[in-house]
């Protein structure tokens, strides 16, 4: 580096002696002199620069993108759950008053919110919201959508403004190239059941099958498969689903407690497709995009499809 600096300086000196009368060349020489100063300053720091460049750059590849996508989905799921509980609080107070001691529906919702670790500020904000002047109660609505590849969808909504919710859903469906369906067009493809969700890491299938059999449950659905290169990722929330009737729901919970198997708190009812259908990759991607955009709407609580 020092030899290079000396040779560089000699070049500048020869150029200066031969062309002092050329303004453009003088400007070039000034630029070269500035470069020489930078070289001299940097000589002592060469080792540090080399040491820094020894580290390999970090690339965000396919795996990182998948993990980020799943975390976003998990965060959206929690946000939707908290939003739904907030709306349920408002609806319960509108119907039965703000006192949990006299309003058993509200008391049950507050117990569920605490069990699910819903932030305290969300609970307090919605209790206050229920008493505000002009705040309407929340009502449940269901919309049906024709997806891609023959897939039918059911969109569950909890809203205080029906005109707003239907307009937002219509816009999303239209933008995605899908179509709103008439009431009853898709609902017959599903059945409403009680579902108990258990994290895949908390129990194995044989154990849950035994519980389901003893409690009289209908079925145990295994977690959705994920890619092989993501099998070692501990951030993926995957669940077994024990399917049961309303009458057998408490029996399933009691049996799970006896076996010491943790489960998610009451998620209410879910819609399961009677005959899931297979679609090609293009239709699958289009349906995923449609469902994702629908779930981004504040009024939408859940979207069910009969896609396998």
């Amino acid at each position: 580096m020092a030899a290079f600096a000396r040779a560089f300086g000699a070049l500048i000196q020869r150029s200066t002696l031969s062309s002092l009368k050329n303004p453009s060349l003088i400007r070039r020489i000034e630029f070269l002199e500035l470069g020489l100063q930078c070289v001299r300053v940097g000589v002592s720091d060469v080792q540090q620069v080399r040491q820094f460049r020894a580290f390999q750059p970090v690339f965000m590849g396919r795996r990182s993108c998948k993990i980020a996508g799943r975390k976003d989905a998990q965060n959206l799921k929690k946000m939707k759950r908290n939003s739904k509980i907030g709306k349920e609080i408002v609806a319960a107070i509108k119907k039965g008053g703000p006192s949990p001691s006299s309003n058993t529906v509200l008391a049950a919702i507050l117990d569920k919110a605490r069990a699910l670790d819903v932030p305290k500020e969300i609970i307090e904000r919605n209790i206050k919201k229920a008493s505000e002047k002009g705040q309407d109660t929340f009502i449940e609505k269901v919309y049906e959508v024709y997806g891609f590849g023959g897939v039918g969808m059911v969109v569950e909504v909890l809203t205080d403004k029906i005109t707003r919710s239907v307009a937002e859903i219509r816009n999303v469906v239209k933008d995605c190239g899908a179509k709103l369906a008439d009431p009853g067009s898709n609902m017959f493809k599903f059945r409403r059941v009680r579902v108990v969700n258990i994290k895949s890491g908390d129990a194995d299938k044989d154990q849950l099958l035994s519980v389901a059999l003893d409690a009289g449950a209908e079925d145990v659905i295994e977690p959705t498969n994920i890619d092989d290169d993501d099998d070692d990722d501990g951030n993926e929330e995957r669940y077994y689903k024990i399917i049961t009737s309303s009458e057998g729901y408490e029996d399933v919970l009691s049996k799970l407690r006896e076996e010491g198997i943790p489960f998610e708190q009451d998620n209410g009812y879910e819609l399961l497709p009677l005959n899931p259908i297979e679609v090609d990759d293009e239709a699958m991607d289009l349906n995923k995009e449609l469902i994702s955009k629908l779930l981004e709407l504040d009024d939408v609580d859940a979207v069910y499809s009969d896609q396998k």
Side-chain angles (χ1 to χ4, degrees):
M1 182 64 73
F4 171 74
R6 286 195 296 271
F8 195 29
L11 175 61
I12 292 174
Q13 185 176 12
R14 287 197 298 271
S15 300
T16 304
L17 293 175
S18 62
S19 52
L20 289 174
K21 294 182 180 181
N22 188 334
S24 63
L25 191 53
I26 290 174
R27 286 194 295 271
R28 294 178 187 175
I29 292 170
E30 290 173 348
F31 178 79
L32 290 172
E33 288 176 338
L34 178 60
L36 178 59
Q37 293 175 10
C38 293
V39 170
R40 287 170 175 166
V41 170
V43 168
S44 62
D45 297 328
V46 169
Q47 188 61 36
Q48 294 181 10
V49 172
R50 288 178 178 170
Q51 183 179 3
F52 173 77
R53 291 180 179 175
F55 291 98
Q56 294 293 327
V58 178
F59 294 101
M60 295 299 289
R62 174 174 173 267
R63 175 179 172 80
S64 298
C65 291
K66 282 193 171 186
I67 293 173
R70 288 198 302 273
K71 287 182 178 179
D72 288 342
Q74 292 167 16
N75 290 335
L76 178 60
K77 180 181 177 182
K78 290 179 181 179
M79 182 183 71
K80 283 291 178 183
R81 181 198 66 192
N82 294 345
S83 175
K84 183 176 182 179
I85 289 177
K87 294 174 183 178
E88 290 174 349
I89 289 173
V90 173
I93 292 176
K94 286 286 185 181
K95 187 174 182 179
S99 174
S101 58
S102 58
N103 187 340
T104 55
V105 175
L106 176 61
I109 295 172
L110 293 178
D111 288 341
K112 181 171 71 172
R114 283 188 286 268
L116 292 173
D117 293 326
V118 176
K120 185 178 179 180
E121 57 268 22
I122 292 179
I123 298 174
E124 293 176 345
R125 181 170 69 244
N126 283 281
I127 291 175
K128 182 179 179 181
K129 184 177 182 180
S131 60
E132 292 177 355
K133 187 177 181 180
Q135 173 61 49
D136 296 328
T137 190
F138 286 92
I139 59 175
E140 294 181 351
K141 291 288 291 183
V142 174
Y143 300 96
E144 299 175 46
V145 177
Y146 291 125
F148 301 91
V151 169
M153 299 182 186
V154 176
V155 183
E156 291 186 344
V157 169
L158 189 59
T159 180
D160 58 347
K161 293 289 188 296
I162 295 178
T163 53
R164 179 191 64 218
S165 64
V166 69
E168 291 178 344
I169 291 173
R170 184 183 291 114
N171 289 337
V172 168
V173 171
K174 182 180 179 181
D175 290 344
C176 290
K179 183 181 177 181
L180 274 177
D182 293 330
S185 299
N186 293 329
M187 189 62 75
F188 73 93
K189 300 178 181 180
F190 299 85
R191 62 188 179 114
R192 189 175 293 274
V193 295
R194 295 301 296 269
V195 176
V196 185
N197 291 305
I198 299 99
K199 286 186 178 181
S200 59
D202 293 335
D204 58 43
K205 184 179 179 181
D206 291 339
Q207 190 178 13
L208 293 179
L209 283 172
S210 175
V211 169
L213 183 64
D214 291 345
E218 298 178 15
D219 196 8
V220 176
I221 299 178
E222 294 187 64
T224 304
N225 290 329
I226 57 177
D227 292 344
D228 292 338
D229 59 348
D230 293 328
D231 285 342
D232 59 346
D233 174 28
N235 295 319
E236 172 70 9
E237 290 186 3
R238 304 172 65 218
Y239 294 88
Y240 287 102
K241 292 178 178 290
I242 297 181
I243 311 302
T244 182
S245 63
S246 297
E247 295 76 15
Y249 181 74
E250 289 299 330
D251 293 336
V252 173
L253 298 188
S254 177
K255 191 64 180 177
L256 287 171
R257 292 189 187 99
E258 288 179 13
E259 298 294 328
I261 302 174
F263 54 88
E264 278 205 342
Q265 295 299 316
D266 186 11
N267 289 319
Y269 291 85
E270 290 187 21
L271 294 178
L272 294 182
L274 293 172
N275 297 296
I277 62 175
E278 292 187 4
V279 298
D280 58 33
D281 291 343
E282 181 181 3
M284 183 179 295
D285 291 339
L286 290 171
N287 287 325
K288 285 182 178 179
E289 181 182 7
L290 174 57
I291 292 172
S292 176
K293 290 186 176 181
L294 285 170
L295 288 173
E296 290 176 0
L297 300 177
D298 291 338
D299 289 341
V300 174
D301 282 332
V303 180
Y304 302 99
S305 82
D306 60 353
Q307 177 176 291
K308 183 175 286 187

